[in-house]
Amino acid sequence: MPLIILFILSSFLFIYLELSLLVWIGSHIGIIGLILLLILSSFVGLLMIRARGWYTLFNVQKQLAQGEIPARSLLKSGIWIVAGALFFIPGFLTDILAILLLIPAVQRLFEQFILNKVRFFSAKFSANSHRTFYRQNGQEGEVFEAEYEKQVDDDKRIK
């Protein structure tokens, strides 16, 4: 429950700061300048999303053709697409967050954070699994051959 309240309060604070920044900038440069900046920001975000999508498509195809796993490339492209979406949302606070995401040092921190979360979840799920379909210690496992026949229970009763 406290987490929900924190999320709601932070959302209202974000909206309040965003609107206050819009009013402050609008009072300094005028309403036409504000609208033009918001349109320009949205246009930049749309171009970023579109360009990064094409770049990702070609880069992933190239890496797959070379036999590489494109995880890092997909993660970087995801960060760029999130930055583009933040640019597309009207407001200057979201634009500041998008610019922060485009800084290489912040991107590396964000990548590390996401990779740590993925490793945590994959370790959590794989630790509970005791089955493996791979060779263990370089030895072949035993192979059991069997035949089965599907039978239909006509009276559908538990026996």
Side-chain angles (χ1 to χ4, degrees), residues 132-150:
T132 180
F133 298 104
Y134 304 106
R135 296 179 191 173
Q136 293 180 348
N137 300 329
Q139 299 175 356
E140 293 275 342
E142 292 184 36
V143 177
F144 297 98
E145 292 188 23
E147 294 182 15
Y148 74 95
E149 181 179 322
K150 186 174 182 179

Side-chain angles (χ1 to χ4, degrees), residues 22 31-47 87-92 95:
L22 280 171
I31 191 72
I32 301 296
L34 177 71
I35 291 173
L36 289 176
L37 277 176
L38 291 175
I39 290 172
L40 179 68
S41 169
S42 294
F43 186 68
V44 166
L46 187 64
L47 285 177
F87 269 124
F88 189 72
I89 297 170
F92 293 106
D95 293 347

Side-chain angles (χ1 to χ4, degrees), residues 42-153:
S42 294
F43 186 68
V44 166
L46 187 64
L47 285 177
M48 277 181 61
I49 292 171
R50 190 170 192 166
R52 195 60 185 202
W54 284 109
Y55 172 80
T56 303
L57 178 69
F58 292 126
N59 197 23
V60 165
Q61 284 179 346
K62 183 177 78 172
Q63 285 181 336
L64 287 174
Q66 293 174 351
E68 299 174 6
I69 298 175
R72 180 78 67 184
S73 176
L74 289 173
L75 185 60
K76 278 190 170 219
S77 294
I79 292 172
W80 273 75
I81 289 172
V82 167
L86 286 172
F87 269 124
F88 189 72
I89 297 170
F92 293 106
L93 198 56
T94 54
D95 293 347
I96 292 169
L97 291 175
I99 291 169
L100 285 176
L101 278 179
L102 295 177
I103 297 172
V106 176
Q107 278 184 355
R108 283 191 293 273
L109 289 173
F110 201 65
E111 284 178 30
Q112 283 300 108
F113 176 75
I114 291 173
L115 288 175
N116 287 339
K117 290 294 181 184
V118 169
R119 283 188 198 119
F120 171 74
F121 283 120
S122 66
K124 185 176 179 182
F125 287 121
S126 65
N128 293 335
S129 175
H130 299 294
R131 295 185 213 138
T132 180
F133 298 104
Y134 304 106
R135 296 179 191 173
Q136 293 180 348
N137 300 329
Q139 299 175 356
E140 293 275 342
E142 292 184 36
V143 177
F144 297 98
E145 292 188 23
E147 294 182 15
Y148 74 95
E149 181 179 322
K150 186 174 182 179
Q151 296 179 351
V152 178
D153 189 13

